[in-house]
Amino acid sequence: MRTIAEYNPFAVTVYFLAVAGTTMFSMNPVILVLSLAGALSYFFVRNGFREMKSHLAFFLMFLFMALLNPLISHNGVTVLFVMNNNPVTLEALVYGIAAAAMILAVLYWFRSYSQIMTSDKLLYVFGVLSPRLALILSMAIRYVPLFGSQVKKVNQAQKALGLYKEDNLVDSFRGGVRVFSVMVTWALENGIITADSMTARGYGSGKRSHYSTFCFRRGDWILMGISCVLLIVTWIGLGDFTFNYYPALKVSALQKTGLIGCISYGLLAFLPVIIEEKETLKWNCLQSKI
Amino acid sequence: MELLTIENLSFTYPLCSTPAVTDVSFSVKKGEFVSICGATGSGKSTLLRLLKRELAPLGERSGQVYLDGTSQEALSADQAARSIGFVMQRPEHQLVTDKVWHELAFGLENMGTPQSVIARRIAEMASYFGIEDWFEKNVTELSGGQKQLLNLAAVMIMNPKILILDEPTAQLDPIAASDFIATLRKLNRELSLTILIVEHRLEEVIPISDRLLVMEKGRLLAYDEPRAVIEGLKEKPELLCAMPAAARLYHAVQGTGECPLDISEGRAYIQANFGNQIRRLPDKVDGSGKPGAVGIVTESGKPGAVGIVAESGKSGAVGSAAESEKSGAAGSAVGIAAESGRTKTGENAIQTGRIGRAAKSDKTALELENVYFRYGKHLPDVLHGLNLKVYENEIFCLLGGNGSGKSTTLSASAGLLKPYSGKVRVFGKRLKEYKNQSLYRECLTMLPQDVQTVFLKNTVREELEEAKAEVSMLPFDITCLYEKHPYDLSGGEQQLVALAKVLATKPKLLLLDEPTKGLDAHAKLGFIRIMKELKAKGMTIVAVTHDVEFAALCADRCALFFRGNVVSDGVPADFFSENHFYTTSAYRMAGDYYDRAVTIEEVAALCRLNRKEAIQPGWKGMSSAAGKHGAEKMAEAGKMTEAGKTEEAGKMAEEEKTTGATERTGGSR
């Protein structure tokens, strides 16, 4: 009874690497369309149709990238029209659209991924690899906002002392430099307290272990298994289903293996949506029984 | 059984001629709660650090520390880390990781403890300390009190034999601080954990301590049960001022018998030893020379009876007369009104407040009118239709709980935050009209809560030169700190240097955010004196504080802040005597016994006035109800008052006058 966000972060990471990685290394339009559709639908299932402005920005970026390529690249045999003595070709336009779609799909996958992977989950993933690295990251994650808020406090304190003159750019720049230099002292000074607190609790007295609030359940293994299997099937299947953009658009004949590859990638791309919807259905079903 | 034994411990820091700790020997039994006190720089912190091997400073040391019979050096790294837990002052800098649960796990991770064991211990700790609700949170989201509790839990998870705390509540607000101390008490009582604590907030720590250790100039001055130690402190006012209110009262009235330590003991002590025929001190004549209403209120007096000195009020009358002469209000009508002390209403109190104020100034220094402020579009209002007036040349204290918007008010007044509605006026001019930072030049300045944010340079001298501070003009001396780094100073010294820097802009209005945070009692008294001197020079001071004792001693007017608005204000005597919870320890001890006595000095003065009344038979019932102070003690106290009666009576008027004068009109000299 869990959505993909509640799966073990390691399994989630494996899934996202599989789906986004395939997109990144493939320019196959079928894959790109599936990936983009999967990424968008998952994002909307998670977030609903809110904050459409951010989507508009992404769409504009998509258009920009799609149209930029034919203006820069003049490869290809089908000339659509000539602009400033430069041919604008169909192939370059299609390639631009494909590349933009690829970037957009990857961006949307990672938008969902960053929503799911809060800092503690990220640390867990790193902690599996190296406990020491996880600790350093954890400290860094804590320190950056602490540093930021202290800079803000110092700025306000100095402003109330009348030591800043807002109307003068040079003055405020010099003020900024002074604040930065004192912040270095501050960080070192208080770093000593943190270091004391660490040694007092036995840091460095032996081999560290790593504790986390996550554990592997059966479903996590299944998710990882499915992701890996679908990934392998996709790559084998797509081996002989190629698509060439230059010099002319050329698709190899779609064979059985190619079809299987496409289907398996489609499943992979829509896996989160399927899981999410399955849970909703299951929940509704249970509720109607209650 | 001795758990910790210290033998002839001495320590000298490198490049220092005098040792920080000299020949200290004492031992702590298992399950004891030991409080350590002493002036700043008396070697308390050094002593504590020497007890924890990992934190011991570098330098020349001699002597031995035994833990459970084993020498400190002989412990393994693992044992040394586990067996002594150490909690320091600044809550946020002791935290290592970003998540609450990770912080809890940190110590055990260092020991290489397997995950399943960590999980069990974390569960145990989180339940015991009530951390479950914020278990998943980021540490940055926690309040100061929660952070410190987390630090404690993160240490306790290693199951230490001894817990050492170095001023753990110095950076906390009073409520979080007493919660923290209550937790320590619980650990001590329930788990018989041995605790050594250095604290400024002795008010709450001493009553629960088994032993009190006093340090002076690196030497151990006393180590015994708190009562015995406090009784021996008669000759040391700088140490005595940090003691609980009840103990200070005991000394202020030259008490004999068993020294009271907490509020209820103090209350019983007053009721057992002193009468309350005179319930109220005569009002002070206002410092500006205009006579205020001088009244002696006695309980036996009848309402409306004018010019009657009630039978027991004789000495009081002498006191008030003497005082009105002294303040030059000769010839002015001094009405001695006797009215029932219990009929004083809130309206009355406001009246008194107005009188006190009108005598000073009608001009407003700071005025907030219908101010609304919020930190984000979708966040709730922090200031909600706030109306506030601060008059010129007064000390105004804004009290209130955490998150009630006190500090926000200060930032809005200083123009650091922009309210979305309402007007802020400083000396009659709206903030907008102060163009080009002129607000911060010779007009207004603010001392922030974290004084470290004021410092930008490497030495105090550079700091003051940069700000063009005229050190000779200051009402305090900081020349001895010149070559030090601002971060190396003690809390009190940092406060003074920051104040010097802030005063360099020659402000007329000084805003202070929690000025007494992290100050020890002695430094706090010094700070109050400075505030009064600044006021005497014509400055207006607005202080946001949690510290009711500070407000009672220092303020001309106090206001209680609640949910973005001021809900009550008045002169301290009225303000604190109308509150029942949010009030001073002195008023808690003597509240329903004497009227309007909100400081220890006032209560002590009243006690002296009432002393000559020999204890009547009827009082016995009351005193036996007081529990610890039995009949035996009563008799003793009775003897004492009897003996002191004659000479006391003579001194009384004078004594009362002096304490009173320094107490409340001190600032307007």
Side-chain angles (χ1 to χ4, degrees):
Chain A
M1 196 51 94
R2 42 185 187 162
T3 63
I4 201 143
E6 290 160 290
Y7 277 79
N8 185 293
F10 200 72
V12 175
T13 306
V14 168
Y15 168 76
F16 273 93
L17 283 181
V19 72
T22 308
T23 316
M24 267 189 265
F25 293 109
S26 161
M27 279 299 279
N28 190 317
V30 182
I31 297 293
L32 293 179
V33 168
L34 285 173
S35 176
L36 188 59
L40 282 173
S41 52
Y42 181 53
F43 191 80
F44 283 116
V45 164
R46 264 184 70 82
N47 298 289
F49 293 91
R50 284 181 291 114
E51 295 185 28
M52 295 306 283
K53 267 186 199 159
S54 72
H55 297 295
L56 186 71
F58 276 88
F59 180 70
L60 288 176
M61 194 181 69
F62 172 78
L63 277 186
F64 174 74
M65 284 187 296
L67 297 178
L68 192 67
N69 191 55
L71 297 180
I72 294 167
S73 161
H74 306 294
N75 292 341
V77 288
T78 329
V79 178
L80 293 175
F81 56 90
V82 176
M83 203 169 77
N84 294 343
N85 293 332
N86 280 323
V88 174
T89 65
L90 176 70
E91 286 77 13
L93 181 66
V94 173
Y95 188 85
I97 293 172
M102 187 259 274
I103 290 172
L104 200 66
V106 171
L107 278 177
Y108 268 92
W109 282 124
F110 278 107
R111 260 183 108 179
S112 297
Y113 183 68
S114 66
Q115 280 184 351
I116 293 171
M117 295 297 276
T118 48
S119 65
D120 53 330
K121 291 186 183 173
L122 215 57
L123 281 178
Y124 165 74
V125 173
F126 281 109
V128 172
L129 304 173
S130 154
R132 215 163 269 265
L133 181 66
L135 178 69
I136 291 169
L137 274 175
S138 173
M139 291 174 70
I141 288 172
R142 194 186 80 82
Y143 217 73
V144 170
L146 193 67
F147 196 84
S149 75
Q150 185 71 12
V151 167
K152 207 172 152 190
K153 276 194 216 162
V154 173
N155 273 330
Q156 289 220 327
Q158 299 301 323
K159 194 184 161 199
L161 282 175
L163 290 178
Y164 277 178
K165 291 177 191 67
E166 271 171 2
D167 49 344
N168 188 332
L169 201 68
V170 178
D171 250 23
S172 65
F173 177 74
R174 271 166 53 194
V177 170
R178 282 192 317 183
V179 170
F180 182 78
S181 85
V182 82
M183 283 306 296
V184 173
T185 317
W186 177 86
L188 292 174
E189 194 69 29
N190 292 309
I192 293 171
I193 301 177
T194 313
D196 275 352
S197 163
M198 286 169 76
T199 40
R201 283 188 275 162
Y203 181 75
S205 64
K207 192 174 156 34
R208 267 179 70 78
S209 60
H210 182 74
Y211 170 74
S212 78
T213 47
F214 304 103
C215 56
F216 263 101
R217 284 155 60 173
R218 206 163 55 105
D220 301 314
W221 293 112
I222 295 174
L223 178 68
M224 262 164 57
I226 290 178
S227 309
C228 292
V229 168
L230 288 178
L231 180 72
I232 293 164
V233 171
T234 305
W235 279 101
I236 293 170
L238 291 178
D240 50 311
F241 178 51
T242 55
F243 192 93
N244 291 329
Y245 292 89
Y246 297 123
L249 298 173
K250 191 178 138 231
V251 195
S252 68
L254 182 61
Q255 305 206 321
K256 218 180 247 173
T257 48
L259 190 66
I260 291 173
C262 288
I263 292 172
S264 97
Y265 189 74
L267 281 175
L268 188 66
F270 282 92
L271 192 63
V273 181
I274 295 168
I275 293 175
E276 207 105 352
E277 289 306 313
K278 192 196 83 188
E279 295 307 329
T280 318
L281 278 178
K282 207 163 147 191
W283 185 245
N284 288 343
C285 201
L286 279 176
Q287 233 169 13
S288 64
K289 278 182 197 156
I290 302 167
Chain B
M1 188 186 97
E2 262 79 42
L3 186 58
L4 185 71
T5 310
I6 289 100
E7 279 175 8
N8 307 352
L9 189 65
S10 297
F11 179 81
T12 314
Y13 280 103
L15 307 175
C16 279
S17 51
T18 48
V21 172
T22 317
D23 197 22
V24 170
S25 304
F26 66 97
S27 64
V28 180
K29 290 194 183 72
K30 187 165 167 38
E32 272 188 326
F33 193 115
V34 180
S35 300
I36 301 173
C37 70
T40 305
S42 60
K44 299 172 302 216
S45 293
T46 312
L47 176 65
L48 286 193
R49 284 181 164 258
L50 288 170
L51 302 183
K52 172 94 178 158
R53 197 177 68 188
E54 291 87 343
L55 300 183
L58 289 174
E60 210 179 303
R61 73 183 271 177
S62 63
Q64 278 297 329
V65 176
Y66 295 99
L67 181 71
D68 229 353
T70 325
S71 169
Q72 198 184 37
E73 284 93 40
L75 295 169
S76 72
D78 218 54
Q79 269 182 318
R82 268 173 196 272
S83 49
I84 298 182
F86 203 99
V87 177
M88 290 170 279
Q89 193 183 115
R90 298 189 141 239
E92 65 269 33
H93 296 296
Q94 289 174 73
L95 296 172
V96 176
T97 63
D98 66 327
K99 287 278 176 186
V100 171
W101 60 262
H102 197 179
E103 191 64 33
L104 284 174
F106 180 75
L108 293 177
E109 282 182 348
N110 291 337
M111 303 282 134
T113 317
Q115 167 131 6
S116 57
V117 179
I118 299 184
R120 196 182 70 217
R121 297 283 281 281
I122 283 185
E124 216 182 1
M125 279 301 128
S127 323
Y128 190 83
F129 286 94
I131 294 178
E132 278 157 319
D133 291 340
W134 32 283
F135 188 70
E136 295 277 341
K137 278 194 179 173
N138 286 328
V139 292
T140 41
E141 294 168 54
L142 305 181
S143 69
Q146 286 175 327
K147 279 180 191 159
Q148 199 62 308
L149 198 63
L150 176 60
N151 282 321
L152 178 63
V155 162
M156 285 308 297
I157 204 162
M158 323 228 327
N159 205 4
K161 289 177 186 162
I162 300 177
L163 183 62
I164 298 177
L165 304 106
D166 191 359
E167 296 181 21
T169 67
Q171 304 294 323
L172 307 185
D173 66 80
I175 292 164
S178 29
D179 283 350
F180 188 83
I181 289 168
T183 310
L184 291 182
R185 182 194 166 97
K186 193 172 144 195
L187 286 170
N188 178 247
R189 295 288 140 92
E190 290 179 6
L191 308 175
S192 64
L193 177 71
T194 313
I195 295 178
L196 267 80
I197 182 171
V198 164
E199 252 296 333
H200 289 326
R201 211 178 295 264
L202 293 169
E203 186 79 49
E204 285 166 65
V205 172
I206 283 188
I208 60 171
S209 301
D210 299 310
R211 306 220 147 212
L212 178 61
L213 191 154
V214 183
M215 297 277 292
E216 194 184 46
K217 295 186 185 114
R219 288 179 186 279
L220 190 134
L221 191 71
Y223 179 57
D224 204 345
E225 294 198 329
R227 275 177 229 279
V229 173
I230 291 172
E231 269 165 49
L233 288 181
K234 272 200 178 87
E235 307 303 315
K236 310 242 177 226
E238 73 281 1
L239 288 171
L240 199 59
C241 66
M243 294 298 145
R248 273 182 289 144
L249 178 72
Y250 171 85
H251 279 283
V253 297
Q254 275 108 39
T256 48
E258 200 171 72
C259 174
L261 291 182
D262 60 14
I263 302 286
S264 56
E265 285 180 20
R267 174 180 286 262
Y269 182 80
I270 295 171
Q271 298 190 353
N273 291 303
F274 306 100
N276 65 340
Q277 274 75 5
I278 303 166
R279 288 186 62 93
R280 188 171 171 178
L281 288 174
D283 281 354
K284 307 295 179 303
V285 175
D286 203 271
S288 61
K290 287 185 194 171
V294 176
I296 294 174
V297 181
T298 71
E299 189 165 36
S300 51
K302 291 189 179 72
V306 179
I308 291 175
V309 181
E311 57 288 336
S312 60
K314 217 172 200 168
S315 50
V318 175
S320 72
E323 184 166 319
S324 57
E325 267 170 36
K326 185 200 162 214
S327 59
S332 66
V334 179
I336 301 174
E339 58 178 314
S340 164
R342 311 234 167 190
T343 58
K344 195 169 65 58
T345 58
E347 207 180 324
N348 239 336
I350 290 166
Q351 203 72 37
T352 332
R354 288 216 182 104
I355 291 167
R357 191 182 79 208
K360 277 177 202 112
S361 167
D362 279 329
K363 285 192 208 151
T364 55
L366 173 69
E367 185 179 5
L368 283 88
E369 196 182 315
N370 277 322
V371 169
Y372 288 84
F373 176 82
R374 55 176 66 173
Y375 281 97
K377 198 174 158 194
H378 301 291
L379 296 175
D381 279 340
V382 180
L383 303 182
H384 192 80
L386 172 64
N387 284 302
L388 182 72
K389 270 186 187 175
V390 179
Y391 295 91
E392 275 183 28
N393 199 18
E394 71 174 351
I395 302 181
F396 183 84
C397 279
L398 206 52
L399 298 127
N402 264 345
S404 58
K406 302 184 310 283
S407 296
T408 310
T409 308
L410 223 50
S411 297
S413 310
L416 298 175
L417 298 172
K418 299 259 178 300
Y420 69 86
S421 167
K423 291 170 188 160
V424 181
R425 290 195 194 88
V426 174
F427 296 106
K429 254 164 86 177
R430 291 195 60 178
L431 281 185
K432 276 186 217 161
E433 295 164 37
Y434 288 93
K435 289 274 152 41
N436 209 359
Q437 307 281 305
S438 62
L439 177 63
Y440 305 119
R441 279 196 294 271
E442 305 194 5
C443 178
L444 171 153
T445 189
M446 181 166 136
L447 186 62
Q449 192 174 127
D450 182 359
V451 289
Q452 281 195 354
T453 58
V454 172
F455 306 128
L456 293 177
K457 297 286 176 181
N458 286 329
T459 62
V460 173
R461 181 193 295 280
E462 288 175 46
E463 205 71 69
L464 296 177
E465 276 168 6
E466 185 205 31
K468 300 185 187 71
E470 290 163 33
V471 182
S472 54
M473 299 295 288
L474 294 173
F476 48 90
D477 185 32
I478 46 170
T479 40
C480 53
L481 308 173
Y482 260 24
E483 302 310 325
K484 287 194 179 174
H485 192 286
Y487 284 8
D488 291 341
L489 306 176
S490 75
E493 290 165 346
Q494 281 190 350
Q495 190 85 20
L496 292 185
V497 174
L499 189 64
K501 198 175 168 189
V502 160
L503 290 177
T505 60
K506 302 193 186 68
K508 288 185 283 181
L509 174 61
L510 176 62
L511 308 177
L512 305 168
D513 196 353
E514 298 286 357
T516 57
K517 203 176 194 181
L519 298 195
D520 61 37
H522 192 62
K524 204 191 281 185
L525 288 180
F527 193 75
I528 290 171
R529 184 184 56 79
I530 291 165
M531 289 298 104
K532 291 190 167 168
E533 280 178 32
L534 288 175
K535 188 193 146 194
K537 288 183 181 173
M539 200 177 284
T540 312
I541 299 168
V542 180
V544 154
T545 183
H546 278 297
D547 191 336
V548 287
E549 317 289 334
F550 168 75
L553 285 172
C554 188
D556 295 314
R557 268 197 314 142
C558 297
L560 183 63
F561 211 80
F562 183 65
R563 293 176 67 87
N565 217 328
V566 170
V567 287
S568 74
D569 70 336
V571 297
D574 293 322
F575 180 82
F576 289 113
S577 53
E578 275 164 38
N579 292 350
H580 297 287
F581 299 94
Y582 213 90
T583 188
T584 59
S585 323
Y587 188 74
R588 282 187 209 160
M589 278 192 290
D592 48 11
Y593 205 57
Y594 299 131
D595 295 323
R596 302 185 85 226
V598 294
T599 64
I600 289 298
E601 285 76 7
E602 285 168 346
V603 174
L606 275 166
C607 286
R608 278 188 223 109
L609 285 177
N610 283 300
R611 177 175 283 169
K612 66 170 197 151
E613 302 303 315
I615 289 145
Q616 292 151 13
W619 291 66
K620 271 204 164 135
M622 195 185 290
S623 72
S624 57
K628 292 187 182 179
H629 302 264
E632 178 194 329
K633 182 158 173 342
M634 281 294 316
E636 194 183 303
K639 248 184 279 162
M640 182 271 299
T641 38
E642 210 66 71
K645 189 171 149 187
T646 38
E647 48 181 304
E648 277 299 317
K651 277 189 201 164
M652 237 177 312
E654 201 175 351
E655 257 177 25
E656 193 279 317
K657 190 181 73 191
T658 36
T659 37
T662 41
E663 177 42 43
R664 292 228 257 117
T665 56
S668 42
R669 259 175 284 144

